[in-house]
Amino acid sequence: MLAGGSARRMGGDDKPSMVVSGRSMRDRVLDALRAADPRVVVGGSADVPAGVGYTREEPPGGGPVAAVAAGLAALGSATATPTPTATPTATATPTATATAEVAVVAGDLPLLTADAVQVLRASLSTADGALFVDRDGRRQLLCGVWRADALRSRLTEMRSGSGPDPRAGSGAGAGQGLGSGTRGASMRALIAPLNVVEVTWAGDGPPPWFDCDTEDDLRKVREWLTARTAG
């Protein structure tokens, strides 16, 4: 789970730690990924549940690709001991080299469910990754399941400067000072050359990728969760 970010539109608070309907958004996401082994949080608060690993991207605040890179490099450590040497929340087997699939999701997706994650896994087939798209066809870049080897290969390309420019699409000035090729790079750049399955959500209720960027978003989620519980 990628739980970093400054949450500027909500006063700079640690967004994933914010409580909605009695539980933090981070813990709700971890529940949706309960079938994953290991489960690890990158960034945000280090006060994670027992049995869940924690780490920070390098450098802290280096962006989602830096977090993915740090996590993939430490999957084996996350399996052995849930300490600050781990990875984005991931579906994994016990060693880094044996890891087949990883789920990479944001920490502010309180409506994510285990069923939604399973839909992504079932859609992966032989592709490099599967992610949700909204009704307008926009890819939800931090709500997907990926083949670990495909991500590792792309990260190697980005570090070496081969393949597509890792700074593409990362915003004005975001490519400045890219020491490793991952700092400040966008998820869009990371997955650009990969074979990606785009998955539409056919379930009931609000989409599982709905993220909370504002107080109004939090209000909507609380209303949806209350209605779901009442139903």
Side-chain angles (χ1 to χ4, degrees):
M1 175 195 304
L2 310 186
S6 59
R8 292 183 183 90
R9 284 182 283 178
M10 289 195 286
D13 294 325
D14 174 25
K15 273 200 302 179
S17 294
M18 291 182 177
V19 174
V20 290
S21 296
R23 304 206 67 205
S24 71
M25 289 192 282
R26 179 202 63 194
D27 287 355
R28 287 182 177 277
V29 174
L30 287 171
D31 283 349
L33 293 162
R34 58 185 174 271
D37 182 20
R39 294 177 301 163
V40 188
V41 173
V42 177
S45 172
D47 184 20
V48 297
V52 175
Y54 175 83
T55 192
R56 290 300 303 266
E57 68 275 24
E58 182 57 43
V65 177
V68 170
L72 283 172
L75 275 175
S77 297
T79 303
T81 306
T83 60
T85 54
T87 180
T89 298
T91 303
T93 48
T95 65
T97 55
T99 300
E101 301 170 4
V102 291
V104 178
V105 299
D108 61 345
L109 308 182
L111 301 176
L112 186 68
T113 63
D115 286 345
V117 175
Q118 183 54 39
V119 167
L120 290 171
R121 292 192 69 192
S123 302
L124 186 59
S125 186
T126 59
D128 296 321
L131 48 70
F132 284 117
V133 294
D134 65 18
R135 293 179 179 177
D136 297 321
R138 289 187 293 264
R139 290 179 167 185
Q140 305 305 306
L141 301 175
L142 290 179
C143 193
V145 172
W146 303 89
R147 296 207 176 277
D149 286 347
L151 292 181
R152 290 192 181 99
S153 294
R154 272 297 294 141
L155 289 166
T156 297
E157 289 179 346
M158 294 173 79
R159 291 186 182 109
S160 67
S162 62
D165 184 348
R167 295 166 294 184
S170 53
Q176 297 176 3
L178 285 177
S180 69
T182 61
R183 178 181 179 181
S186 68
M187 285 295 294
R188 185 176 292 104
L190 174 67
I191 70 172
L194 300 183
N195 176 19
V196 179
V197 176
E198 297 183 343
V199 182
T200 56
W201 177 243
D204 295 331
W209 61 81
F210 187 88
D211 60 341
C212 292
D213 291 328
T214 67
E215 291 291 346
D216 188 54
D217 291 338
L218 282 172
R219 179 188 57 77
K220 290 178 181 178
V221 165
R222 288 174 178 134
E223 290 174 355
W224 284 329
L225 288 173
T226 298
R228 179 187 292 175
T229 301

